[in-house]
Amino acid sequence: MAKPKILIVEDEWIIANDLKTSLTNSGYIVPSIAATGSEAIEYIKTKKINLVLMDIVLQGEMDAIETAKEIISGFDIPVIYLTAYTDETMLKQAKKSGAYGYLDKPFKDREMQATIELALYRHKMEKKLKASEDQLYTTLISINDAVISTDNTGLIIFMNPLAESLTGWKVKNARKKRLEDIFNIRLDEKGKGDENAVSKII
């Protein structure tokens, strides 16, 4: 199994090099160290990276939160913050950026390795789940049956094209509406229906 490649984004070179040594001793590959967010982005554009360890306080035009958002959403690479701060506002922003965790400085090798392995595992499972969801979505929009999916309160979350055609509703307009509001069941030839039919089915 290939060793994970980890990019370090840290503007303090002594810390960065100590971290590189720790990672290398733990069996990871550190192909480069970036000092700024923009430098990290440029590197990731051309090189294969499995994870980014990034100081939460970075110098330069791009701060760490902005950099992490771009790395996670644009390149699908997990990010772990390195921080010597416990400021609540900063931690809230870090959570919103989609980061996979953070390590308090100074950190121990075992703690660092556990956090990295958990982040890599979580990312792997998320990719599998996304692939499974994409496959299910493709199946549902392709089958010759009308499919309407709701949450456990009866609010619509999905409709395939045939269901849209039969109900006259587009999924973007039907989403979060109650199933009985758009799905009217006719029970006889006169067009009469049972108002509670959907509830009975559920």
Side-chain angles (χ1 to χ4, degrees), residues 135-183:
Q135 185 176 15
L136 176 60
Y137 177 77
T138 301
T139 300
L140 289 175
I141 64 172
S142 302
I143 61 175
N144 292 322
D145 294 307
V147 178
I148 300 175
S149 175
T150 73
D151 61 18
N152 58 5
T153 65
L155 297 180
I156 291 173
I157 56 177
F158 172 81
M159 295 171 63
N160 70 352
L162 187 54
E164 289 180 327
S165 177
L166 291 175
T167 62
W169 284 79
K170 291 293 184 183
V171 65
K172 64 180 180 181
N173 298 322
R175 193 173 285 122
K176 296 301 180 182
K177 291 187 182 295
R178 297 195 63 78
L179 180 57
E180 52 264 39
D181 292 336
I182 70 161
F183 185 52

Short mmCIF file of all heavy atoms in Angstrom, two decimals, residues 135-183:
data_model
loop_
_atom_site.label_atom_id
_atom_site.label_comp_id
_atom_site.label_asym_id
_atom_site.label_seq_id
_atom_site.Cartn_x
_atom_site.Cartn_y
_atom_site.Cartn_z
N GLN A 135 -24.39 6.38 -7.72
CA GLN A 135 -24.87 5.20 -8.43
C GLN A 135 -26.37 5.02 -8.21
O GLN A 135 -27.12 4.72 -9.15
CB GLN A 135 -24.12 3.96 -7.94
CG GLN A 135 -24.47 2.69 -8.72
CD GLN A 135 -23.64 1.51 -8.26
OE1 GLN A 135 -23.01 1.53 -7.22
NE2 GLN A 135 -23.66 0.45 -9.05
N LEU A 136 -26.83 5.23 -6.97
CA LEU A 136 -28.25 5.12 -6.67
C LEU A 136 -29.04 6.19 -7.41
O LEU A 136 -30.11 5.91 -7.97
CB LEU A 136 -28.47 5.25 -5.16
CG LEU A 136 -29.93 5.24 -4.68
CD1 LEU A 136 -30.62 3.95 -5.06
CD2 LEU A 136 -30.01 5.48 -3.18
N TYR A 137 -28.51 7.40 -7.43
CA TYR A 137 -29.19 8.51 -8.13
C TYR A 137 -29.34 8.19 -9.62
O TYR A 137 -30.40 8.37 -10.20
CB TYR A 137 -28.40 9.80 -7.93
CG TYR A 137 -28.99 10.98 -8.66
CD1 TYR A 137 -30.12 11.64 -8.17
CD2 TYR A 137 -28.43 11.43 -9.86
CE1 TYR A 137 -30.66 12.73 -8.84
CE2 TYR A 137 -28.98 12.50 -10.54
CZ TYR A 137 -30.09 13.15 -10.02
OH TYR A 137 -30.64 14.22 -10.70
N THR A 138 -28.26 7.71 -10.22
CA THR A 138 -28.30 7.35 -11.64
C THR A 138 -29.35 6.28 -11.90
O THR A 138 -30.09 6.34 -12.89
CB THR A 138 -26.92 6.86 -12.11
OG1 THR A 138 -25.95 7.89 -11.89
CG2 THR A 138 -26.94 6.49 -13.58
N THR A 139 -29.43 5.30 -11.01
CA THR A 139 -30.41 4.23 -11.15
C THR A 139 -31.84 4.77 -11.05
O THR A 139 -32.70 4.45 -11.86
CB THR A 139 -30.20 3.16 -10.06
OG1 THR A 139 -28.88 2.62 -10.19
CG2 THR A 139 -31.22 2.04 -10.20
N LEU A 140 -32.07 5.62 -10.05
CA LEU A 140 -33.42 6.13 -9.81
C LEU A 140 -33.93 7.02 -10.94
O LEU A 140 -35.12 7.01 -11.25
CB LEU A 140 -33.47 6.90 -8.49
CG LEU A 140 -33.34 6.05 -7.22
CD1 LEU A 140 -33.29 6.93 -5.99
CD2 LEU A 140 -34.50 5.06 -7.11
N ILE A 141 -33.05 7.80 -11.56
CA ILE A 141 -33.52 8.67 -12.64
C ILE A 141 -33.66 7.92 -13.95
O ILE A 141 -34.25 8.42 -14.90
CB ILE A 141 -32.59 9.90 -12.84
CG1 ILE A 141 -31.20 9.48 -13.28
CG2 ILE A 141 -32.55 10.75 -11.59
CD1 ILE A 141 -30.30 10.65 -13.67
N SER A 142 -33.11 6.68 -14.00
CA SER A 142 -33.13 5.93 -15.25
C SER A 142 -34.24 4.88 -15.32
O SER A 142 -34.63 4.48 -16.41
CB SER A 142 -31.78 5.22 -15.45
OG SER A 142 -30.72 6.15 -15.45
N ILE A 143 -34.74 4.44 -14.18
CA ILE A 143 -35.72 3.35 -14.20
C ILE A 143 -37.06 3.82 -14.75
O ILE A 143 -37.38 5.02 -14.74
CB ILE A 143 -35.91 2.75 -12.80
CG1 ILE A 143 -36.43 3.81 -11.80
CG2 ILE A 143 -34.64 2.11 -12.30
CD1 ILE A 143 -36.74 3.23 -10.45
N ASN A 144 -37.87 2.86 -15.20
CA ASN A 144 -39.17 3.17 -15.81
C ASN A 144 -40.30 3.17 -14.78
O ASN A 144 -41.45 2.85 -15.11
CB ASN A 144 -39.48 2.16 -16.91
CG ASN A 144 -38.54 2.31 -18.10
OD1 ASN A 144 -38.17 3.42 -18.46
ND2 ASN A 144 -38.14 1.20 -18.68
N ASP A 145 -40.01 3.53 -13.56
CA ASP A 145 -41.02 3.67 -12.51
C ASP A 145 -40.90 5.06 -11.91
O ASP A 145 -39.80 5.63 -11.84
CB ASP A 145 -40.81 2.63 -11.40
CG ASP A 145 -41.03 1.21 -11.87
OD1 ASP A 145 -42.11 0.95 -12.44
OD2 ASP A 145 -40.14 0.37 -11.69
N ALA A 146 -42.04 5.60 -11.51
CA ALA A 146 -42.03 6.90 -10.83
C ALA A 146 -41.59 6.68 -9.38
O ALA A 146 -42.10 5.80 -8.70
CB ALA A 146 -43.41 7.53 -10.87
N VAL A 147 -40.62 7.46 -8.95
CA VAL A 147 -40.11 7.34 -7.59
C VAL A 147 -40.15 8.69 -6.90
O VAL A 147 -39.65 9.69 -7.41
CB VAL A 147 -38.65 6.82 -7.59
CG1 VAL A 147 -38.11 6.74 -6.16
CG2 VAL A 147 -38.56 5.46 -8.25
N ILE A 148 -40.80 8.70 -5.73
CA ILE A 148 -40.82 9.88 -4.88
C ILE A 148 -40.28 9.46 -3.52
O ILE A 148 -40.74 8.48 -2.94
CB ILE A 148 -42.24 10.46 -4.71
CG1 ILE A 148 -42.83 10.85 -6.07
CG2 ILE A 148 -42.21 11.67 -3.77
CD1 ILE A 148 -44.27 11.31 -6.00
N SER A 149 -39.29 10.19 -3.03
CA SER A 149 -38.70 9.86 -1.74
C SER A 149 -38.99 10.99 -0.76
O SER A 149 -38.94 12.17 -1.11
CB SER A 149 -37.18 9.69 -1.89
OG SER A 149 -36.57 9.48 -0.64
N THR A 150 -39.32 10.61 0.49
CA THR A 150 -39.61 11.60 1.52
C THR A 150 -38.75 11.33 2.75
O THR A 150 -38.17 10.25 2.90
CB THR A 150 -41.09 11.55 1.95
OG1 THR A 150 -41.31 10.38 2.74
CG2 THR A 150 -42.02 11.57 0.76
N ASP A 151 -38.70 12.32 3.64
CA ASP A 151 -38.08 12.06 4.94
C ASP A 151 -39.12 11.41 5.84
O ASP A 151 -40.24 11.10 5.41
CB ASP A 151 -37.51 13.36 5.54
CG ASP A 151 -38.58 14.43 5.79
OD1 ASP A 151 -39.78 14.08 5.83
OD2 ASP A 151 -38.22 15.60 5.95
N ASN A 152 -38.77 11.20 7.10
CA ASN A 152 -39.68 10.47 7.97
C ASN A 152 -40.89 11.28 8.43
O ASN A 152 -41.77 10.77 9.11
CB ASN A 152 -38.94 9.91 9.21
CG ASN A 152 -38.26 11.01 10.00
OD1 ASN A 152 -38.40 12.18 9.71
ND2 ASN A 152 -37.50 10.61 11.01
N THR A 153 -40.95 12.56 8.02
CA THR A 153 -42.14 13.36 8.33
C THR A 153 -43.05 13.53 7.11
O THR A 153 -44.07 14.21 7.19
CB THR A 153 -41.74 14.77 8.84
OG1 THR A 153 -41.09 15.49 7.79
CG2 THR A 153 -40.82 14.66 10.04
N GLY A 154 -42.67 12.92 5.98
CA GLY A 154 -43.49 13.00 4.78
C GLY A 154 -43.16 14.16 3.87
O GLY A 154 -43.89 14.43 2.91
N LEU A 155 -42.04 14.84 4.12
CA LEU A 155 -41.63 15.96 3.25
C LEU A 155 -40.75 15.42 2.12
O LEU A 155 -39.84 14.62 2.35
CB LEU A 155 -40.85 17.01 4.04
CG LEU A 155 -41.63 17.71 5.17
CD1 LEU A 155 -40.72 18.73 5.85
CD2 LEU A 155 -42.89 18.37 4.64
N ILE A 156 -41.03 15.85 0.91
CA ILE A 156 -40.35 15.32 -0.27
C ILE A 156 -38.90 15.78 -0.31
O ILE A 156 -38.58 16.95 -0.09
CB ILE A 156 -41.08 15.77 -1.55
CG1 ILE A 156 -42.44 15.06 -1.63
CG2 ILE A 156 -40.26 15.46 -2.80
CD1 ILE A 156 -43.32 15.53 -2.75
N ILE A 157 -38.01 14.82 -0.63
CA ILE A 157 -36.59 15.14 -0.77
C ILE A 157 -36.06 14.77 -2.16
O ILE A 157 -35.01 15.24 -2.57
CB ILE A 157 -35.73 14.45 0.31
CG1 ILE A 157 -35.96 12.94 0.31
CG2 ILE A 157 -36.03 15.03 1.68
CD1 ILE A 157 -35.09 12.19 1.31
N PHE A 158 -36.82 13.92 -2.90
CA PHE A 158 -36.36 13.51 -4.23
C PHE A 158 -37.54 13.04 -5.08
O PHE A 158 -38.49 12.44 -4.58
CB PHE A 158 -35.34 12.36 -4.11
CG PHE A 158 -34.97 11.76 -5.44
CD1 PHE A 158 -34.03 12.36 -6.24
CD2 PHE A 158 -35.58 10.59 -5.89
CE1 PHE A 158 -33.69 11.82 -7.47
CE2 PHE A 158 -35.25 10.03 -7.12
CZ PHE A 158 -34.30 10.66 -7.91
N MET A 159 -37.47 13.35 -6.37
CA MET A 159 -38.40 12.81 -7.36
C MET A 159 -37.61 12.53 -8.63
O MET A 159 -36.77 13.35 -9.03
CB MET A 159 -39.52 13.82 -7.69
CG MET A 159 -40.45 14.14 -6.53
SD MET A 159 -41.55 15.52 -6.93
CE MET A 159 -42.49 14.85 -8.29
N ASN A 160 -37.87 11.38 -9.26
CA ASN A 160 -37.19 11.13 -10.53
C ASN A 160 -38.01 11.73 -11.67
O ASN A 160 -39.14 12.19 -11.46
CB ASN A 160 -36.90 9.64 -10.72
CG ASN A 160 -38.15 8.81 -10.96
OD1 ASN A 160 -39.27 9.30 -10.85
ND2 ASN A 160 -37.96 7.54 -11.29
N PRO A 161 -37.47 11.79 -12.89
CA PRO A 161 -38.16 12.46 -14.01
C PRO A 161 -39.57 11.94 -14.28
O PRO A 161 -40.47 12.71 -14.60
CB PRO A 161 -37.22 12.19 -15.19
CG PRO A 161 -35.87 12.09 -14.58
CD PRO A 161 -36.09 11.39 -13.27
N LEU A 162 -39.77 10.61 -14.16
CA LEU A 162 -41.11 10.07 -14.42
C LEU A 162 -42.10 10.54 -13.36
O LEU A 162 -43.26 10.86 -13.67
CB LEU A 162 -41.06 8.54 -14.47
CG LEU A 162 -42.37 7.85 -14.90
CD1 LEU A 162 -42.86 8.40 -16.24
CD2 LEU A 162 -42.16 6.34 -14.99
N ALA A 163 -41.67 10.63 -12.13
CA ALA A 163 -42.53 11.14 -11.07
C ALA A 163 -42.87 12.61 -11.31
O ALA A 163 -43.99 13.06 -11.08
CB ALA A 163 -41.87 10.97 -9.70
N GLU A 164 -41.89 13.36 -11.80
CA GLU A 164 -42.14 14.76 -12.14
C GLU A 164 -43.20 14.85 -13.23
O GLU A 164 -44.12 15.68 -13.17
CB GLU A 164 -40.85 15.44 -12.62
CG GLU A 164 -39.83 15.67 -11.53
CD GLU A 164 -38.57 16.36 -12.06
OE1 GLU A 164 -38.21 16.10 -13.24
OE2 GLU A 164 -37.97 17.15 -11.32
N SER A 165 -43.08 13.99 -14.24
CA SER A 165 -44.02 14.00 -15.36
C SER A 165 -45.43 13.64 -14.91
O SER A 165 -46.41 14.27 -15.32
CB SER A 165 -43.54 13.01 -16.43
OG SER A 165 -44.46 12.93 -17.50
N LEU A 166 -45.56 12.64 -14.05
CA LEU A 166 -46.88 12.18 -13.61
C LEU A 166 -47.56 13.15 -12.66
O LEU A 166 -48.78 13.29 -12.66
CB LEU A 166 -46.76 10.80 -12.95
CG LEU A 166 -46.40 9.64 -13.89
CD1 LEU A 166 -46.20 8.37 -13.09
CD2 LEU A 166 -47.49 9.44 -14.94
N THR A 167 -46.76 13.83 -11.83
CA THR A 167 -47.36 14.75 -10.85
C THR A 167 -47.47 16.18 -11.38
O THR A 167 -48.27 16.97 -10.87
CB THR A 167 -46.52 14.79 -9.56
OG1 THR A 167 -45.21 15.28 -9.86
CG2 THR A 167 -46.44 13.41 -8.92
N GLY A 168 -46.66 16.50 -12.39
CA GLY A 168 -46.66 17.86 -12.90
C GLY A 168 -45.80 18.80 -12.07
O GLY A 168 -45.81 20.01 -12.27
N TRP A 169 -45.04 18.24 -11.15
CA TRP A 169 -44.17 19.04 -10.27
C TRP A 169 -42.71 18.76 -10.60
O TRP A 169 -42.32 17.63 -10.83
CB TRP A 169 -44.40 18.67 -8.81
CG TRP A 169 -45.65 19.22 -8.21
CD1 TRP A 169 -46.92 18.72 -8.37
CD2 TRP A 169 -45.77 20.35 -7.35
NE1 TRP A 169 -47.81 19.48 -7.66
CE2 TRP A 169 -47.14 20.49 -7.02
CE3 TRP A 169 -44.86 21.26 -6.82
CZ2 TRP A 169 -47.61 21.49 -6.19
CZ3 TRP A 169 -45.33 22.26 -5.98
CH2 TRP A 169 -46.70 22.38 -5.68
N LYS A 170 -41.89 19.82 -10.58
CA LYS A 170 -40.45 19.68 -10.68
C LYS A 170 -39.91 19.47 -9.26
O LYS A 170 -40.40 20.07 -8.31
CB LYS A 170 -39.80 20.92 -11.30
CG LYS A 170 -40.13 21.09 -12.79
CD LYS A 170 -39.51 19.97 -13.61
CE LYS A 170 -39.75 20.18 -15.10
NZ LYS A 170 -39.21 19.06 -15.90
N VAL A 171 -38.89 18.63 -9.14
CA VAL A 171 -38.38 18.31 -7.81
C VAL A 171 -37.90 19.55 -7.06
O VAL A 171 -38.05 19.66 -5.84
CB VAL A 171 -37.25 17.25 -7.90
CG1 VAL A 171 -36.04 17.79 -8.64
CG2 VAL A 171 -36.87 16.76 -6.51
N LYS A 172 -37.34 20.53 -7.78
CA LYS A 172 -36.85 21.73 -7.11
C LYS A 172 -37.99 22.52 -6.48
O LYS A 172 -37.79 23.22 -5.47
CB LYS A 172 -36.07 22.62 -8.08
CG LYS A 172 -36.90 23.17 -9.24
CD LYS A 172 -36.04 24.03 -10.15
CE LYS A 172 -36.86 24.58 -11.32
NZ LYS A 172 -36.03 25.41 -12.23
N ASN A 173 -39.21 22.41 -7.05
CA ASN A 173 -40.36 23.09 -6.48
C ASN A 173 -41.08 22.24 -5.44
O ASN A 173 -41.74 22.76 -4.54
CB ASN A 173 -41.35 23.47 -7.58
CG ASN A 173 -40.75 24.42 -8.60
OD1 ASN A 173 -39.98 25.32 -8.25
ND2 ASN A 173 -41.06 24.22 -9.87
N ALA A 174 -40.96 20.91 -5.59
CA ALA A 174 -41.68 20.00 -4.69
C ALA A 174 -40.91 19.73 -3.41
O ALA A 174 -41.50 19.35 -2.40
CB ALA A 174 -41.96 18.69 -5.41
N ARG A 175 -39.59 19.92 -3.45
CA ARG A 175 -38.76 19.60 -2.29
C ARG A 175 -39.23 20.35 -1.05
O ARG A 175 -39.53 21.54 -1.10
CB ARG A 175 -37.30 19.91 -2.59
CG ARG A 175 -36.32 19.33 -1.56
CD ARG A 175 -34.88 19.51 -1.99
NE ARG A 175 -34.52 18.59 -3.06
CZ ARG A 175 -34.08 18.96 -4.24
NH1 ARG A 175 -33.99 20.24 -4.53
NH2 ARG A 175 -33.75 18.07 -5.14
N LYS A 176 -39.35 19.63 0.06
CA LYS A 176 -39.78 20.14 1.37
C LYS A 176 -41.29 20.37 1.46
O LYS A 176 -41.77 20.88 2.47
CB LYS A 176 -39.03 21.43 1.74
CG LYS A 176 -37.53 21.24 1.93
CD LYS A 176 -37.23 20.22 3.02
CE LYS A 176 -35.73 20.02 3.21
NZ LYS A 176 -35.42 18.99 4.22
N LYS A 177 -42.02 20.03 0.39
CA LYS A 177 -43.49 20.06 0.48
C LYS A 177 -43.97 18.69 0.94
O LYS A 177 -43.30 17.68 0.78
CB LYS A 177 -44.10 20.41 -0.88
CG LYS A 177 -43.85 21.83 -1.33
CD LYS A 177 -44.63 22.13 -2.61
CE LYS A 177 -44.34 23.55 -3.07
NZ LYS A 177 -44.82 24.55 -2.12
N ARG A 178 -45.18 18.66 1.49
CA ARG A 178 -45.74 17.40 1.96
C ARG A 178 -46.16 16.55 0.76
O ARG A 178 -46.64 17.07 -0.25
CB ARG A 178 -46.92 17.64 2.89
CG ARG A 178 -46.54 18.39 4.17
CD ARG A 178 -47.64 18.28 5.21
NE ARG A 178 -47.83 16.89 5.62
CZ ARG A 178 -47.02 16.24 6.47
NH1 ARG A 178 -45.99 16.85 6.99
NH2 ARG A 178 -47.27 14.99 6.79
N LEU A 179 -45.97 15.25 0.89
CA LEU A 179 -46.27 14.33 -0.20
C LEU A 179 -47.71 14.46 -0.66
O LEU A 179 -48.00 14.48 -1.85
CB LEU A 179 -45.97 12.90 0.25
CG LEU A 179 -46.23 11.78 -0.77
CD1 LEU A 179 -45.44 12.02 -2.04
CD2 LEU A 179 -45.87 10.44 -0.17
N GLU A 180 -48.64 14.56 0.29
CA GLU A 180 -50.05 14.62 -0.08
C GLU A 180 -50.43 15.91 -0.81
O GLU A 180 -51.47 15.99 -1.45
CB GLU A 180 -50.96 14.44 1.15
CG GLU A 180 -50.65 15.34 2.31
CD GLU A 180 -49.75 14.67 3.33
OE1 GLU A 180 -48.83 13.94 2.92
OE2 GLU A 180 -49.97 14.90 4.53
N ASP A 181 -49.57 16.94 -0.71
CA ASP A 181 -49.85 18.20 -1.40
C ASP A 181 -49.61 18.10 -2.91
O ASP A 181 -50.17 18.89 -3.68
CB ASP A 181 -48.98 19.33 -0.84
CG ASP A 181 -49.35 19.68 0.60
OD1 ASP A 181 -50.51 19.41 0.99
OD2 ASP A 181 -48.50 20.21 1.32
N ILE A 182 -48.78 17.16 -3.33
CA ILE A 182 -48.49 17.07 -4.76
C ILE A 182 -48.85 15.71 -5.36
O ILE A 182 -48.88 15.56 -6.57
CB ILE A 182 -47.00 17.35 -5.05
CG1 ILE A 182 -46.14 16.21 -4.54
CG2 ILE A 182 -46.56 18.68 -4.47
CD1 ILE A 182 -44.78 16.21 -5.16
N PHE A 183 -49.10 14.75 -4.49
CA PHE A 183 -49.39 13.40 -4.96
C PHE A 183 -50.82 13.04 -4.58
O PHE A 183 -51.10 12.62 -3.46
CB PHE A 183 -48.40 12.40 -4.35
CG PHE A 183 -48.55 10.99 -4.88
CD1 PHE A 183 -48.57 10.74 -6.24
CD2 PHE A 183 -48.64 9.93 -4.00
CE1 PHE A 183 -48.69 9.45 -6.72
CE2 PHE A 183 -48.77 8.63 -4.48
CZ PHE A 183 -48.80 8.39 -5.84
#
